[in-house]
Amino acid sequence: MNTTESAPVFRDDGELLGYVIRSGPHLWVPSTVFGHPLDEPMSRGEAEAYLHAHGLSHLAEKWVYLSDDDQRITVQIVEAGPSRVTIRFIDYGHPELFGSTRDLRTPLAGVLDLAENKSRLR
């Protein structure tokens, strides 16, 4: 997580859905459990509702890992939390990595992104 103002959003059963991160006086960005933005800034209520509707489902999407040598490699998230994300490489174009896992420490800006950004970002 970054150091800007944020608030956790939980499901009724206590499961962490993600965070809303302040981006302006009355604007909040819905973000994954590891702080990756999922949509554009909106009201806090809208950001919390977004996480209730979509927060965990984004974790099941395909993601892209940007390697140290700037290769974009398709991965899936195996486990995610505020300080660590475990990814599995699922990119057939990288047979030497396929099926292996890697633990990543947050923050992950510039390292991990949604493969197909279905939000209104960009």
Side-chain angles (χ1 to χ4, degrees):
M1 290 296 303
N2 55 32
T3 58
T4 60
E5 183 182 354
S6 64
V9 177
F10 295 96
R11 200 166 55 186
D12 290 340
D13 65 1
E15 176 87 21
L16 178 63
L17 298 173
Y19 291 87
V20 290
I21 300 174
R22 184 183 291 278
S23 69
H26 303 288
L27 295 173
W28 297 79
V29 175
S31 303
T32 65
V33 296
F34 52 90
H36 185 280
L38 296 173
D39 211 329
E40 295 179 1
M42 56 188 73
S43 75
R44 183 171 178 161
E46 290 171 325
E48 289 177 359
Y50 182 94
L51 287 176
H52 279 280
H54 309 288
L56 294 180
S57 65
H58 281 295
L59 299 181
E61 300 290 333
K62 288 183 180 177
W63 289 73
V64 172
Y65 170 75
L66 183 61
S67 69
D68 292 338
D69 58 354
D70 293 330
Q71 293 187 60
R72 297 177 56 82
I73 306 168
T74 305
V75 298
Q76 69 185 82
I77 293 176
V78 176
E79 187 176 346
S83 62
R84 182 177 61 89
V85 176
T86 302
I87 58 172
R88 175 173 286 118
F89 293 93
I90 60 169
D91 193 324
Y92 291 114
H94 296 273
E96 73 285 0
L97 293 173
F98 189 85
S100 65
T101 60
R102 182 170 298 166
D103 287 335
L104 306 174
R105 301 277 177 217
T106 60
L108 297 171
V111 175
L112 198 60
D113 199 5
L114 281 165
E116 293 184 33
N117 200 332
K118 297 179 180 182
S119 72
R120 293 177 291 197
L121 291 173
R122 294 186 194 132

